[in-house]
Each structure stands twice: as structure tokens, then as C-alpha cells.
Amino acid sequence: ANETVNKRLENNGYSAVHRVHDVPNEERMQNFLNMLNAVGYGFVKYDAGECCSNPKALQELTEHVKNTGRLSNMLSSNLIRCMSRAKYSHINIGHNGLAKENYCHYTSPIRRYPDLTIHRIVKDCVLDDANSRKNTYKWERTVPDVSFQSSKMERAADEAEAEVLSMKCAEFMSRFIGQDFEATVIGVSDHGLQVQLDNMIEGRVRLKDLPGGYECNSETYSLLSLDNKEDYYIGDRLSVCLKEADKVLSILILLLIVK
């Protein structure tokens, strides 16, 4: 229905709030392939450009990531970040993720404003023969603003959802202060280690809480010791102790347990 309605509107010259999805970002894709090499799961069948432009290559990359064991969740999340964000637009560039030239949101008018807008366009332009020309002009002027506002509010809703999830995770973990957990390193930066506990909740080990001095190596996705101590790489397994769970800041602060 979403594809058929969008195609009908476009073929008849009517405006529409298209649901569009651009091709993946090639620079981010190359960084992701570099990460796969760094964690020992290199993907060499296709290059970054082919993974962005060829749906078959992207599908094979996705299947490759699914077979990376305990790192698959983390790597799948990073692969998703390579993708362009779907949005609403008055200009139709197609939906790359669904491999559709025409796509809109038409089927849920009770919960999404873009769907309701498409229903109104169909009513005004397709079904109202007497006023079709006048209504077509009206929607030509209206649809760009509707598309922009709908995309803006969708992003705001997604950000609110993510913030609430992080807050509730921190609230849940606050009952386990002082307890030990097993974790996997899923990110490194100049601020320390980003880790994922085995219950899928994420936290951080701050650089200042690590023994000795460290520097971040972006090419190997690692924290390298300046004092000949332990180096840390994405995928490493660590034992950590929960030091702090801040509901307001939505963060978990963890201490490394040195064995």
C-alpha cells in the first residue's frame, strides 16, 4: 500500500510526503571496514564503495557481521551508524533500505502525521475531481513544510526515547553498586573505554581510573599503555566493578578489576 499510493501520486503529478532513504555514507563505511580488520573479522569481498552502492554487497556484509560471535551486537550497531537516516521529504530520491523507487507512510493515520497527510492528499487531489487543481496547488506549497517538521519531530522523539532508555538503565543498575560484572570493550577514546556488560547495558571505564598512562590509537581501535602495562582493544573481555550509576546523567562508571 505504501509503495502503490506513493507511485500513484507521483505518476499523476501530485505532491507527497515521501519516505526516503539515501545510500550509506562511504566514509563511515570505510571506517567500519577498518574496525572489522582491527577486531580480526576483516571483510575483503567488497570495498566500501561497493557496500554502499550494491545492495547484494551490503547484505553479505550484514550476514558477515552476524557471524562475529559475541561482537555481533556491537558491530551490528556500528554498521547501522553507517547508514543514512530515513526521513520525510517532498523530493523523492527512493528508499535505499527497502530497494523501492516509491515509498511513503500511508497505512497508519492514527499514529503518524505523515500518514494522515497522505490520506488528506488522496482525498483532496485524487477523489475530489471538482477541486483537484486548487488542492494540488495547496499541497505543493504545504508538503515541504510538513516533510521538514515531520522529520524534525521524528528525530526529537527518537532522541527522547534513547535518553529515557539510558536513564532507566542507570536507575536499574543503581541497586548493584559495588558488584562485579563481566564486560566487553565496544569502544575506545581519549576519555577511556566504552564497555557493554553481559546484560547488554553499557558503561564506561574512565581513563583516569586506569592504572598508568594511556593514549588512544584510532587506527587499531585501542588504548595503548605508555608504561608497558596492559593494552586494551575492542572486543577484549574485562572484569569490572560498578562504582556509580547516575540516573540524572544517564551513565554508569565502572572500575577495572586487575587480575
Side-chain angles (χ1 to χ4, degrees), residues 35 38-39 71 74 185-188 220-222 232-236:
M35 177 184 289
V39 299
L71 294 180
M74 180 272 292
V185 177
I186 61 171
V188 297
T220 58
Y221 296 88
S222 61
Y232 299 103
Y233 296 84
I234 286 182
D236 283 355

Side-chain angles (χ1 to χ4, degrees), residues 35-201:
M35 177 184 289
L36 286 180
N37 288 330
V39 299
Y41 288 100
F43 183 77
V44 297
K45 187 172 182 179
Y46 301 100
D47 61 25
E50 291 170 316
C51 289
C52 291
S53 61
N54 184 348
K56 180 176 182 295
L58 183 59
Q59 181 62 35
E60 290 191 29
L61 174 59
T62 302
E63 292 299 320
H64 176 79
V65 168
K66 288 181 180 178
N67 295 319
T68 55
R70 57 185 169 80
L71 294 180
S72 62
N73 287 327
M74 180 272 292
L75 292 172
S76 293
S77 296
N78 279 277
L79 177 58
I80 289 173
R81 295 188 185 105
C82 298
M83 308 302 172
S84 299
R85 185 186 179 95
K87 64 180 182 179
Y88 299 105
S89 175
H90 65 290
I91 300 173
N92 183 24
I93 62 171
H95 197 296
N96 179 72
L98 297 176
K100 302 291 186 183
E101 293 183 4
N102 291 89
Y103 198 73
C104 69
H105 279 165
Y106 168 78
T107 53
S108 301
I110 61 171
R111 63 185 175 89
R112 283 192 304 230
Y113 188 67
D115 304 66
L116 181 60
T117 300
I118 293 294
H119 279 246
R120 288 172 171 169
I121 293 173
V122 171
K123 175 178 177 292
D124 286 351
C125 300
V126 179
L127 303 180
D128 187 354
D129 291 334
N131 298 294
S132 180
R133 176 175 293 184
K134 178 184 70 175
N135 291 334
T136 298
Y137 177 64
K138 177 188 73 173
W139 284 111
E140 285 177 354
R141 292 178 298 162
T142 305
V143 160
D145 288 338
V146 171
S147 301
F148 175 82
Q149 182 69 6
S150 296
S151 293
K152 178 181 176 181
M153 299 313 296
E154 181 184 30
R155 290 192 299 271
D158 288 346
E159 290 167 4
E161 180 181 0
E163 289 175 8
V164 170
L165 178 60
S166 296
M167 180 190 71
K168 299 305 287 186
C169 285
E171 182 181 45
F172 169 74
M173 291 299 294
S174 63
R175 70 189 72 177
F176 304 114
I177 300 294
Q179 294 191 25
D180 298 345
F181 297 89
E182 296 300 308
T184 302
V185 177
I186 61 171
V188 297
S189 71
D190 292 329
H191 302 291
L193 303 171
Q194 185 75 12
V195 301
Q196 185 180 74
L197 306 183
D198 288 349
N199 63 7
M200 305 303 291
I201 293 178

